[in-house]
Amino acid sequence: LDRMMRARYLGADRIPPMAGALAMLNQLAADKLWRVAIATGNWRQEAAIKIESAGLLIAALPMATSTDRLARREILPLAIARASERYETEEWHRAVYVGDGVWDARVARELGMAFVGIGKGNRAAALRREGAGSVLADFTDLKAFWSALNQARVPEPPGGAP
């Protein structure tokens, strides 16, 4: 399976990174106020291959995947715990989850975490319906990304406050 996935993602079907992702990750990594961790619903092996395929150099970042926990609601706290260990801190002033799926906005809301959505067209509309206050098409406008990151809030429940 690993060989097949690698051939698929690293061969002709190479996955390009989302527009602006490399520059965004480089800026985040260089910033002294923000610390980055990866939380993904992919299996660890699949995530590593996709990340390699996209050319993103994030192997040193703390990561939690479906290999670690099956429930998405448990993956994000594990990523934060691993970030605490990696960055040698237990105290976080603010955490922002950046995601492109409706489930990402739901998990952020359930955990009371600020959220920035990434998506275009129907995906962006779905994220907004799910309560995402900030949705960017991609990472090409780094000024807009930083603004969204700094102003991010917990997604509202669909249909407004409970």
Side-chain angles (χ1 to χ4, degrees):
L1 181 61
D2 179 36
R3 193 174 308 152
M4 288 174 25
M5 281 195 307
R6 291 182 74 74
R8 176 178 174 207
Y9 292 125
L10 299 176
D13 295 335
R14 189 173 204 83
I15 299 172
M18 183 174 287
L22 187 56
M24 177 272 298
L25 285 169
N26 285 336
Q27 277 194 10
L28 272 174
D31 193 278
K32 300 295 182 209
L33 297 177
W34 291 92
R35 300 294 178 255
V36 182
I38 306 294
T40 178
N42 285 294
W43 301 109
R44 178 170 298 282
Q45 187 176 29
E46 182 180 12
I49 291 170
K50 286 181 176 182
I51 290 165
E52 181 183 349
S53 172
L56 300 175
L57 306 173
I58 58 175
L61 295 177
M63 183 184 326
T65 71
S66 288
T67 302
D68 303 306
R69 301 284 191 276
L70 290 178
R72 290 182 186 272
R73 192 180 196 298
E74 296 173 0
I75 295 170
L76 189 53
L78 180 59
I80 292 169
R82 288 180 174 167
S84 292
E85 188 176 302
R86 162 69 170 78
Y87 300 116
E88 299 177 347
T89 185
E90 292 296 321
E91 195 172 317
W92 298 99
H93 299 288
R94 180 173 166 84
V96 179
Y97 186 22
V98 179
D100 64 356
V102 168
W103 52 85
D104 295 320
R106 288 179 186 153
V107 167
R109 182 175 49 253
E110 288 174 17
L111 296 174
M113 183 175 285
F115 179 75
V116 174
I118 306 294
K120 299 176 186 176
N122 291 337
R123 184 178 299 251
L127 288 166
R128 287 188 183 93
R129 282 192 303 275
E130 199 56 44
S134 181
V135 179
L136 304 172
D138 54 34
F139 300 107
T140 54
D141 185 344
L142 290 174
K143 185 175 180 180
F145 172 73
W146 282 102
S147 177
L149 200 63
N150 286 304
Q151 296 175 21
R153 60 174 175 70
V154 177
E156 294 290 328

